[in-house]
Amino acid sequence: MLARTHSAAIVGIDAFPVEIEVNLSGGRSAVENLVNVVGLPDLAVRESRDRVRSAIASSGFPPLKGNAVVNLAPADLHKEGAGFDLGIALAMLAAAGVVDPDRLIHCAVLGELALTGEVRPVRGALPAAARLRGEHGIEALLVPENNSDEAAVAAGNQPAVFPVSSLRDAVDLVNNGGRLPHKAIFEECADQTAGPDFADVKGQKLARRALEIAAAGGHNLLMIGEPGTGKSMLAARLPGILPPLTFEETVETSRIHSVLGMLSSGRPLLNRRPFRAPHHTISDAGLIGGGRDPRPGEISLAHNGVLFLDELPEFKRNVLEVLRQPLETGEVIVSRAAGSCTFPARFMLCAAMNPCPCGRGKVELGCTCKPEEKRRYLKRISGPLLDRIDLRIQVGMLSREELLSAPDGEPSAAIRERVVRARQIQRERFAGRRGFYCNAQLTGGDLRKFCAVGESGLRLLRGAIDKFQLSPRAYDRILKTARTIADLAGSETITDEHLFEAVNYRQQL
């Protein structure tokens, strides 16, 4: 007898519909059944036949008789993982007459089976539910109980989401019905105020100002200073002043974490902008993504948030160079023999470094580094990468009075209000331009249109170009930064004051 149901395969961060077909032949009197899985499965999918057989027996169903052929269509799409277990088991039981095949064919099923028949959570339930939403003929989605919240928020009311904790639950639900209504998960997870606060910061007014500008315009930032000056502490507070995630950004960012199995059942959607801080020993594949079947890397996990690279010169040069494309395009393309995947990677880069190998920077502070050693240290960061960093600031040591005094930092909530107002100005400015969210994304004609300066401003820029030998990219980024400074000031035009401040943030290493 032939039975069918539906599921989804995860490739990169995208989901693709898969039809599960099971043909059970050989009659009820045949010996113990043999199961053959076809349709380009990986090892984990092929092993499902043993998990399914044990789960069916442990759940109290009679042993299936005959030979079963399981086909996962389309046959040219690579399938990986254990998420097809539950669908295969239900289709086999339908072929044996235990499950109603006419109801099962209108279901989509995700879930890994334990040998006891328990249903375990799977990776990628959110993109799978989103892809199956509205798929022709699918009226119900069966998912593990721990994945039900993320599936419900992605699927909405169509298809209806059924949470299951065991194979027997799934059989009963298919035969008798049941439902998990759509939940307003986003509203439940909307609190984004938790986290380190700028109110705890002593001094560092220049750094706080630079972080505010970076947050308001989505600009990249580099902090240079001796160890212990608070660079990491300042960076950790950057997500707290960024604008709240929109619903679209929340789902988009959560989809990446769902594919990697990083969403908890109690928090099906991310409620804060990501902050990723990989160690400097990370590989290029760990940073941008990769593997035989490509998976997202740290820059994609930082999508719509902050990527913090501490001790920037300590990263391998080839690792840093892979950042150049995503910093420009907001995405990264990972190509492997099995195919290529495009991962979103629109993040703010916040980096920190010491002024020299020993970290002290000045002779009076005990620095013993020779000039050539300092030059080699700074040359570990290539010019093209530095060109893509809009703001570069020196973070100095606190004075004795600042160190002994109470924190004088402005609360993150107050800074965030100004950032949100500036971003609102930018949203209105870019209304109707798909993919534009902040000033850092301005290019070409839009840059000339929205960042026009007067004659005195042009004279100031000419002097900056001659003094700092600015590249065309550096020149454009000064204009973008000046536009953000003007937005924070509520000014429709870029004044000389705004340009002067923007130029001062282009520190030369």
Side-chain angles (χ1 to χ4, degrees):
M1 182 177 175
L2 181 66
R4 293 183 298 161
T5 190
H6 304 273
S7 190
I10 303 297
V11 180
I13 63 170
D14 297 315
F16 297 89
V18 170
E19 186 173 38
I20 301 175
E21 301 174 308
V22 173
N23 187 23
L24 192 61
S25 61
R28 295 294 181 87
S29 60
V31 297
E32 183 180 359
N33 65 308
L34 300 175
V35 180
N36 185 29
V37 182
V38 298
L40 211 58
D42 73 347
L43 181 60
V45 179
R46 289 196 296 270
E47 289 176 343
S48 66
R49 56 192 176 190
D50 298 316
R51 292 191 295 271
V52 166
R53 186 184 292 124
S54 176
I56 288 175
S58 299
S59 300
F61 298 109
L64 303 183
K65 302 294 183 177
N67 300 326
V69 177
V70 179
N71 180 41
L72 305 176
D76 60 348
L77 177 67
H78 183 67
K79 291 91 179 175
E80 64 168 344
F84 299 101
D85 288 4
L86 184 58
I88 292 173
L90 290 173
M92 290 178 66
L93 289 170
V98 177
V99 172
D100 185 346
D102 294 329
R103 294 176 65 93
L104 184 62
I105 198 172
H106 296 294
C107 296
V109 186
L110 301 170
E112 176 185 346
L113 282 175
L115 300 183
T116 60
E118 176 190 355
V119 178
R120 291 173 173 163
V122 295
R123 295 182 295 105
L126 193 153
R131 179 62 181 82
L132 295 170
R133 181 176 184 173
E135 191 73 15
H136 180 68
I138 298 178
E139 300 173 357
L141 174 61
L142 278 66
V143 297
E145 198 164 28
N146 287 344
N147 292 128
S148 61
D149 283 345
E150 57 181 296
V153 76
N157 289 316
Q158 182 62 33
V161 174
F162 293 77
V164 294
S165 58
S166 67
L167 176 58
R168 182 162 286 281
D169 284 348
V171 171
D172 292 340
L173 281 166
V174 174
N175 288 335
N176 304 317
R179 176 177 180 139
L180 174 70
H182 169 61
K183 296 180 178 179
I185 301 295
F186 178 68
E187 286 76 9
E188 295 175 8
C189 301
D191 180 16
Q192 306 185 47
T193 59
D197 198 296
F198 269 95
D200 303 326
V201 178
K202 296 181 179 181
Q204 305 299 3
K205 292 183 179 180
L206 175 64
R208 282 184 281 166
R209 170 66 174 170
L211 286 165
E212 180 179 339
I213 294 170
H219 303 289
N220 302 318
L221 171 73
L222 172 62
M223 294 182 285
I224 308 165
E226 295 83 7
T229 53
K231 302 185 296 293
S232 300
M233 180 185 71
L234 288 164
R237 283 154 175 76
L238 180 55
I241 62 172
L242 290 172
L245 286 165
T246 64
F247 180 74
E248 291 75 17
E249 288 176 328
T250 298
V251 174
E252 187 179 46
T253 309
S254 299
R255 182 175 63 159
I256 301 168
H257 289 70
S258 173
V259 165
L260 295 175
M262 298 173 65
L263 292 180
S264 64
S265 58
R267 287 288 186 182
L269 294 179
L270 296 180
N271 67 331
R272 297 190 77 232
R273 292 189 180 271
F275 180 81
R276 304 295 300 182
H279 192 261
H280 63 256
T281 56
I282 192 172
S283 66
D284 53 355
L287 191 64
I288 68 168
R292 185 177 62 85
D293 298 304
R295 299 276 180 83
E298 288 291 334
I299 63 173
S300 294
L301 288 171
H303 181 59
N304 288 323
V306 178
L307 178 70
F308 177 52
L309 301 183
D310 200 6
E311 306 294 348
L312 187 64
E314 301 300 329
F315 285 79
K316 295 178 182 177
R317 183 159 184 143
N318 67 298
V319 173
L320 292 179
E321 291 306 296
V322 300
L323 289 172
R324 287 159 60 174
Q325 178 206 358
L327 282 174
E328 288 290 334
T329 64
E331 62 182 22
V332 59
I333 301 174
V334 179
S335 297
R336 296 292 183 268
S340 64
C341 293
T342 300
F343 300 132
R346 189 176 61 250
F347 58 89
M348 285 179 55
L349 174 63
C350 181
M353 59 179 287
N354 296 328
C356 63
C358 76
R360 296 181 178 89
K362 300 177 182 177
V363 175
E364 54 267 31
L365 295 178
C367 177
T368 58
C369 297
K370 298 178 181 179
E372 185 58 32
E373 291 175 327
K374 291 184 178 182
R375 280 193 293 270
R376 282 200 303 268
Y377 179 75
L378 298 177
K379 286 294 183 183
R380 294 181 189 177
I381 309 169
S382 70
L385 179 60
L386 278 175
D387 244 6
R388 290 167 167 83
I389 299 177
D390 306 359
L391 294 89
R392 310 171 197 166
I393 59 169
Q394 296 285 342
V395 182
M397 296 291 290
L398 296 179
S399 66
R400 181 179 58 189
E401 289 72 21
E402 289 176 322
L403 190 61
L404 295 175
S405 65
D408 59 348
E410 188 179 15
S412 292
I415 302 173
R416 191 184 197 188
E417 286 182 9
R418 296 195 295 269
V419 169
V420 170
R421 283 198 299 269
R423 286 288 185 106
Q424 180 60 36
I425 292 172
Q426 293 164 51
R427 279 196 298 271
E428 293 172 0
R429 177 183 299 135
F430 306 139
R433 289 173 169 81
R434 183 176 176 82
F436 273 66
Y437 302 94
C438 55
N439 289 329
Q441 296 175 292
L442 283 169
T443 57
D446 286 323
L447 183 66
R448 292 189 295 272
K449 177 180 178 181
F450 298 120
C451 299
V453 297
E455 186 58 39
S456 61
L458 288 175
R459 286 197 298 270
L460 191 155
L461 289 171
R462 288 191 194 101
I465 293 171
D466 293 338
K467 180 178 180 180
F468 300 118
Q469 297 297 301
L470 298 176
S471 69
R473 180 185 291 115
Y475 171 77
D476 288 349
R477 290 182 178 270
I478 286 176
L479 289 178
K480 297 175 189 179
T481 304
R483 178 68 269 173
T484 299
I485 295 171
D487 291 341
L488 283 168
S491 173
E492 293 185 5
T493 59
I494 298 176
T495 67
D496 293 358
E497 182 183 358
H498 304 145
L499 282 170
F500 186 76
E501 184 176 3
V503 169
N504 281 338
Y505 288 126
R506 295 294 300 189
Q507 294 272 356
Q508 298 301 301
L509 298 185

